[in-house]
């Protein structure tokens, strides 16, 4: 039995996962990130509580791993930059190890999602793929040669901040023209709202509303989705040119929209592709399988990456 801890911007999930990747029990708690050392103590208490509820002896747990939404040095568990929860230079690996009394591996959540998909999800059978999560922003975990790729600076897969438009739209990161400012769930909503604010009167101001209106036949919403998918394809074609993956897995709410997102995305990536891989037609764009649990499940198996 393994334990995966996924620290998100607002919620932290802790799960007991067996060796087949099945979640035995998962508890979700609020993320209280102001004081990392105190938060780690809370996580230890929650984890022990989880084990008790599931009648699992914590000392018999094989491995404990964690994920955070930011840049981490996987070798040490040192969190360099985690803007969503305001962490800069936080030694999470050390804090976890002293609080749990055992080593705890820490990695970036989107890489853990890719690992979960590699071991138990849509990435099974592929040695080289990218796992893209489209939500508030755009996350990406890269698997090369059957292993999660961190890069020499631990920043591999920051696809959301790939510049696709010179001097383009302002991004939350402080730069301009980043991919996620055009193609994230938030960006899809922002673009639709800017184009047709009246369409959102009395409706939730979120990406899902854009899709609902599109299914009702609103041509403007269909245009916005088409533009965002095209922008995403443009960015991904660049990543494919560099990495030559066999598959791109799409996770997050928008991945449910096969006809509006998954299929046109594959077509548009090929449209921007280079002859050598475009004509081989080997690249597949697929919905991910583990969905929201992927980062937690992947965290539980970080030991496989040592
Ligand atoms: Zn950015």
């Amino acid at each position: 039995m393994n334990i995966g801890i996924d620290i998100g911007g607002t919620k932290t999930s802790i799960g007991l996962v067996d060796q087949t990747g099945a979640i035995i029990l998962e508890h979700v708690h609020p993320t209280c990130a102001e004081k990392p050392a105190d938060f780690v103590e809370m996580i230890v208490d929650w984890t022990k509580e989880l084990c008790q509820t599931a009648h699992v002896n914590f000392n018999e747990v094989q491995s404990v791993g964690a994920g955070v939404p930011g840049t981490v040095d996987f070798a040490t568990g040192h969190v360099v930059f985690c803007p969503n929860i305001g962490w800069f230079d936080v030694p999470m690996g050390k804090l976890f190890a002293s609080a749990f009394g055992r080593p705890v591996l820490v990695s970036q959540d989107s890489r853990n999602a890719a690992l979960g998909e590699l071991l138990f999800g849509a990435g099974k059978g592929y040695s080289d793929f990218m796992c893209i999560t489209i939500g508030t922003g755009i996350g990406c975990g890269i698997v090369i040669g059957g292993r999660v790729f961190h890069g020499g600076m631990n920043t591999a897969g920051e696809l959301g901040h790939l510049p696709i438009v010179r001097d383009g739209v302002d991004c939350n990161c402080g730069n301009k023209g980043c991919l996620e400012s055009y193609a994230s769930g938030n960006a899809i909503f922002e673009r639709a709202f800017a184009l047709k604010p009246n369409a959102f009167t009395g409706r939730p101001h979120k990406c899902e509303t854009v899709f609902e209106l599109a299914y009702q036949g609103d041509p403007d919403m269909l245009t916005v989705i088409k533009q965002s998918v095209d922008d995403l394809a443009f960015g991904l074609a660049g990543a494919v040119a560099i990495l030559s993956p066999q598959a791109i897995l799409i996770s997050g709410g928008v991945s449910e929209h096969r006809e509006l997102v998954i299929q046109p995305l594959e077509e548009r990536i090929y449209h921007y592709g280079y002859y050598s891989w475009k004509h081989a037609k080997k690249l597949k764009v697929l919905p991910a399988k583990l969905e929201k649990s992927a980062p937690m499940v992947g965290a539980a198996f970080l030991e496989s990456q040592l």
Side-chain angles (χ1 to χ4, degrees):
M1 198 75 75
N2 293 358
I3 286 173
I5 300 161
D6 182 51
I7 301 172
T10 55
K11 285 180 277 183
T12 292
S13 46
I14 307 175
L16 268 165
V17 186
D18 75 11
Q19 298 307 312
T20 68
I23 299 167
I24 305 304
L25 187 64
E26 182 177 9
H27 284 171
V28 180
H29 301 274
T31 296
C32 316
E34 293 79 20
K35 293 179 182 164
D38 294 352
F39 183 46
V40 164
E41 295 290 346
M42 290 162 90
I43 290 175
V44 172
D45 290 344
W46 291 334
T47 304
K48 291 188 172 163
E49 219 174 84
L50 179 85
C51 288
Q52 264 175 10
T53 311
H55 305 292
V56 168
N57 182 346
F58 177 71
N59 296 321
E60 284 168 16
V61 166
Q62 280 169 286
S63 82
V64 185
V68 297
T71 308
V72 191
D73 180 345
F74 178 59
T76 60
H78 189 87
V79 175
V80 179
F81 178 55
C82 223
N84 288 353
I85 49 180
W87 287 354
F88 299 89
D89 281 322
V90 178
M92 285 306 279
K94 276 188 190 161
L95 291 174
F96 269 132
S98 73
F100 272 112
R102 61 185 294 167
V104 175
L105 294 165
V106 187
S107 187
Q108 186 168 32
D109 54 2
S110 42
R111 289 181 204 158
N112 289 344
L115 178 58
E117 293 291 341
L118 169 71
L119 298 174
F120 307 111
K124 246 177 142 175
Y126 293 109
S127 60
D128 300 81
F129 67 88
M130 289 188 282
C131 180
I132 315 288
T133 308
I134 302 172
T136 316
I138 294 179
C140 170
I142 300 168
V143 170
I144 297 178
R147 292 181 63 80
V148 173
F149 180 65
H150 297 276
M153 300 186 289
N154 289 306
T155 54
E158 290 296 356
L159 191 77
H161 303 286
L162 177 80
I164 60 158
V165 178
R166 188 188 292 267
D167 297 324
V169 174
D170 286 335
C171 178
N172 291 334
C173 75
N175 291 346
K176 287 178 189 289
C178 295
L179 179 61
E180 73 176 34
S181 306
Y182 295 86
S184 66
N186 275 17
I188 293 173
F189 164 71
E190 295 291 345
R191 287 176 107 165
F193 188 73
L195 183 68
K196 205 174 180 182
N198 293 344
F200 294 88
T201 309
R203 292 192 166 96
H205 283 199
K206 56 182 192 179
C207 175
E208 211 37 50
T209 308
V210 182
F211 281 91
E212 274 167 31
L213 292 167
Y215 285 120
Q216 287 164 20
D218 186 321
D220 295 317
M221 300 301 129
L222 286 164
T223 302
V224 166
I225 292 168
K226 208 174 158 186
Q227 278 171 348
S228 286
V229 167
D230 189 70
D231 289 334
L232 182 60
F234 185 71
L236 284 172
V240 173
I242 295 165
L243 297 169
S244 186
Q246 301 144 323
I248 295 176
L249 313 182
I250 306 292
S251 174
V254 303
S255 64
E256 290 162 22
H257 307 292
R258 204 172 269 264
E259 282 175 25
L260 288 179
V261 176
I262 304 287
Q263 286 167 4
L265 182 61
E266 188 175 280
E267 281 165 31
R268 297 308 290 168
I269 292 171
Y270 275 114
H271 171 79
Y272 291 115
Y274 176 61
Y275 181 88
S276 309
W277 57 266
K278 187 168 169 165
H279 287 263
K281 285 267 175 199
K282 283 184 184 162
L283 177 74
K284 300 255 180 296
V285 176
L286 306 163
K289 276 193 186 150
L290 305 184
E291 281 300 333
K292 280 184 185 163
S293 310
M296 186 278 284
V297 172
F301 287 86
L302 274 172
E303 227 173 55
S304 69
Q305 296 294 297
L306 286 178

